[in-house]
């Protein structure tokens, strides 16, 4: 038994009972715009505002739905959101102490002259590359090492602050990801 499908076609008729064509519609809109310029301008601005509100509303609703879906997926995985658990695991965006130290070394090298860089490289080779050596030999650490250690600690603190801010923002399901 074949089922027949009925198709519905809506035809808009003009006053002379003829279907509207694009050229007739354009003429009608032009006539209306010339006859009622204030009303047609207001209608155009209102239509634009409604379209804008609809698009932004759609994006916000989609964002809220994504946040709810993300939260339910995390609940299903039974992930513990405590701060200690987040600090103990390294995620893809987290900076490790070694990465912070490397970034600080690169920053120090970029901000130093080539003579300073050569001296620092020779000292670093003696300190860290040769086995069985006392790193400090009872002397105070050189200035470039202090700068690297201080800057790497700053980088780690900046990363921690950034991660805490991301965590706070991710807890709010109504925060829009559209504007970021």
């Amino acid at each position: 038994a074949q089922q027949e499908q009925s198709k519905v076609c809506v035809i808009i008729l003009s006053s002379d009972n003829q279907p509207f064509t694009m050229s007739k519609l354009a003429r009608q809109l032009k006539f209306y715009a010339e006859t009622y310029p204030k009303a047609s301008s207001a209608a155009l601005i209102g239509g634009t505002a409604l379209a804008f509100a609809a698009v932004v509303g759609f994006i916000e609703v989609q964002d809220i739905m994504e946040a709810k879906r993300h939260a339910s997926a995390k609940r299903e995985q039974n992930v513990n959101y405590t701060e200690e658990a987040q600090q103990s695991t390294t995620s893809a965006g987290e900076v490790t102490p070694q990465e912070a130290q490397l970034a600080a070394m690169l920053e120090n090298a970029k901000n130093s002259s080539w003579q300073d860089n050569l001296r620092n490289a020779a000292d670093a080779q003696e300190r860290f590359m040769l086995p069985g050596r006392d790193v400090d030999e009872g002397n105070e650490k050189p200035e470039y090492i202090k700068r690297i250690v201080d800057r790497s600690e700053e980088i780690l603190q900046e990363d921690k602050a950034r991660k805490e801010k991301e965590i706070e923002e991710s807890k709010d399901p109504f925060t829009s990801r559209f504007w970021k």
Side-chain angles (χ1 to χ4, degrees):
Q2 288 183 333
Q3 295 180 351
E4 292 185 26
Q5 294 180 350
S6 61
K7 295 183 181 180
V8 176
C9 182
V10 176
I11 298 175
I12 300 173
L13 300 176
S14 64
S15 60
D16 59 352
N17 286 334
Q18 295 296 319
F20 262 118
T21 61
M22 289 302 287
S23 61
K24 282 185 178 180
L25 183 61
R27 276 196 313 270
Q28 189 71 24
L29 289 174
K30 181 180 177 190
F31 171 78
Y32 185 77
E34 290 173 349
T35 308
Y36 307 105
K38 289 180 183 177
S40 60
S41 296
L44 184 63
I45 291 171
T48 303
L50 283 174
F52 176 76
V55 168
V56 169
F58 175 75
I59 291 171
E60 287 297 317
V61 166
Q62 189 178 15
D63 226 11
I64 290 169
M65 297 294 284
E66 183 180 331
K68 287 180 182 177
R69 187 172 45 250
H70 182 72
S72 67
K74 289 293 182 183
R75 256 185 267 120
E76 287 175 9
Q77 293 174 357
N78 199 12
V79 175
N80 186 5
Y81 279 114
T82 63
E83 190 173 316
E84 296 82 26
Q86 288 177 355
Q87 289 178 353
S88 66
T89 60
T90 56
S91 64
E94 189 173 334
V95 177
T96 64
Q98 292 82 9
E99 290 171 335
Q101 194 171 24
L102 178 63
M105 286 180 195
L106 291 172
E107 211 172 282
N108 184 49
K110 287 179 183 178
N111 294 333
S112 300
S113 67
W114 65 272
Q115 294 98 342
D116 289 339
N117 284 335
L118 285 176
R119 276 193 294 276
N120 294 347
D123 183 60
Q125 183 176 7
E126 285 180 23
R127 294 174 146 277
F128 304 114
M129 299 292 237
L130 301 175
R133 290 203 29 129
D134 181 16
V135 175
D136 290 326
E137 296 180 358
N139 298 330
E140 192 173 316
K141 292 181 181 178
E143 188 62 35
Y144 77 95
I145 291 180
K146 291 178 186 175
R147 283 195 308 265
I148 290 171
V149 169
D150 291 343
R151 181 62 186 134
S152 66
E153 289 173 1
E154 286 177 21
I155 291 171
L156 288 172
Q157 289 172 353
E158 289 169 2
D159 184 60
K160 183 179 178 182
R162 181 186 58 83
K163 292 296 268 185
E164 288 174 355
K165 182 179 176 188
E166 286 178 3
I167 290 168
E168 288 299 318
E169 288 176 355
S170 70
K171 288 181 181 177
D172 183 10
F174 300 106
T175 301
S176 175
R177 273 83 173 154
F178 178 73
W179 303 108
K180 289 185 179 178

